[in-house]
Amino acid sequence: MDTLEMKDIEAAVEGILFASGEPVAVDRICVALNMDRPTVELVLQHLQDYYSYERRGMRLVRMEDSWQLCSAPEYGELIRKAFEIRKPAKLSQPALEVLTIIAYYQPTTRAYVDQIRGVDSSYTVGLLLDRHLIEECGRLQVPGRPRLYRTTQAFLRAFHLNSLDELPQLPGMEADGQLRLDDDMGEGSPELL
């Protein structure tokens, strides 16, 4: 393709995102359009603003270095009704606990999650894997080689986050990931997550 007009570029980006149905990396769009990254990112930002401002039925969502077209959340109930889709079950308290631990300490093992929670988390980890909120991302290089888990782009999308950097800061958490106990906490009474 030779030089494209801005409207053609926007239409091409929309077409790529629509046809994919999945998140598409910015670099992949750059290669497809033979364009530089700043220009493609400008087009993506413009489209995101347009869908939001015009209150269209879809939104353009950024997840780390990828973008995806999604239905607008305010029309979720109507879309489910049209396709007779049941509303996804809400996550239980144990599932939210496990997901929080993995999100903040990733990549991490199930044993580490169990250690923090004080209970076996194997069922809950399996549930989160089935819902594609977490994924296996390798094995720890220690005896037994336990599986490592991390959050997925589906996690970012479900919690309306662009990246993990947008997770709220845990109270008492140091930059190195260590929990700091405040002086006013009594001896032997560590604060639980």
Side-chain angles (χ1 to χ4, degrees):
M1 244 183 223
D2 291 334
T3 308
L4 296 173
E5 297 291 326
M6 187 53 83
K7 279 290 181 195
D8 293 329
I9 295 168
E10 288 177 359
V13 169
E14 277 180 318
I16 291 168
L17 294 168
F18 179 79
S20 169
E22 297 289 327
V24 180
V26 174
D27 292 337
R28 184 170 229 171
I29 298 170
C30 292
V31 168
L33 298 178
N34 194 24
M35 299 185 81
D36 62 285
R37 187 180 180 101
T39 303
V40 170
E41 287 178 341
L42 188 67
V43 169
L44 288 163
Q45 187 62 55
H46 179 263
L47 284 171
Q48 183 181 46
D49 294 344
Y50 168 76
Y51 289 132
S52 182
Y53 180 77
E54 293 291 326
R55 297 188 42 86
R56 306 298 300 181
M58 57 187 167
R59 297 286 182 269
L60 184 54
V61 179
R62 181 174 63 89
M63 293 165 287
E64 293 179 334
D65 206 31
S66 298
W67 293 75
Q68 181 177 11
L69 279 175
C70 301
S71 57
E74 59 266 30
Y75 301 115
E77 199 58 46
L78 294 171
I79 294 167
R80 277 189 288 281
K81 191 175 179 182
F83 294 103
E84 297 179 9
I85 301 170
R86 285 192 356 218
K87 191 172 186 175
K90 293 187 178 188
L91 292 174
S92 65
Q93 186 64 36
L96 286 171
E97 288 173 7
V98 170
L99 195 54
T100 300
I101 293 165
I102 292 172
Y104 281 96
Y105 294 100
Q106 62 186 304
T108 192
T109 63
R110 187 180 57 81
Y112 186 71
V113 173
D114 292 351
Q115 179 184 348
I116 290 176
R117 292 187 67 229
V119 295
D120 179 25
S121 302
S122 54
Y123 173 79
T124 308
V125 167
L127 174 79
L128 295 172
L129 285 166
D130 289 345
R131 290 194 179 182
H132 306 288
L133 294 172
I134 63 170
E135 65 187 1
E136 189 176 323
C137 63
R139 292 188 176 258
L140 196 58
Q141 299 301 314
V142 297
R145 297 182 34 98
R147 292 179 172 95
L148 289 167
Y149 298 100
R150 67 179 174 208
T151 56
T152 62
Q153 286 189 328
F155 164 80
L156 294 175
R157 193 168 43 247
F159 288 90
H160 307 287
L161 300 170
N162 291 326
S163 73
L164 293 172
D165 296 335
E166 293 183 358
L167 284 172
Q169 185 69 30
L170 283 176
M173 189 61 63
E174 297 289 334
D176 62 0
Q178 296 300 311
L179 187 63
R180 183 188 72 250
L181 299 178
D182 291 334
D183 293 335
D184 60 351
M185 294 174 61
E187 288 258 51
S189 61
E191 193 173 299
L192 297 178
L193 295 178

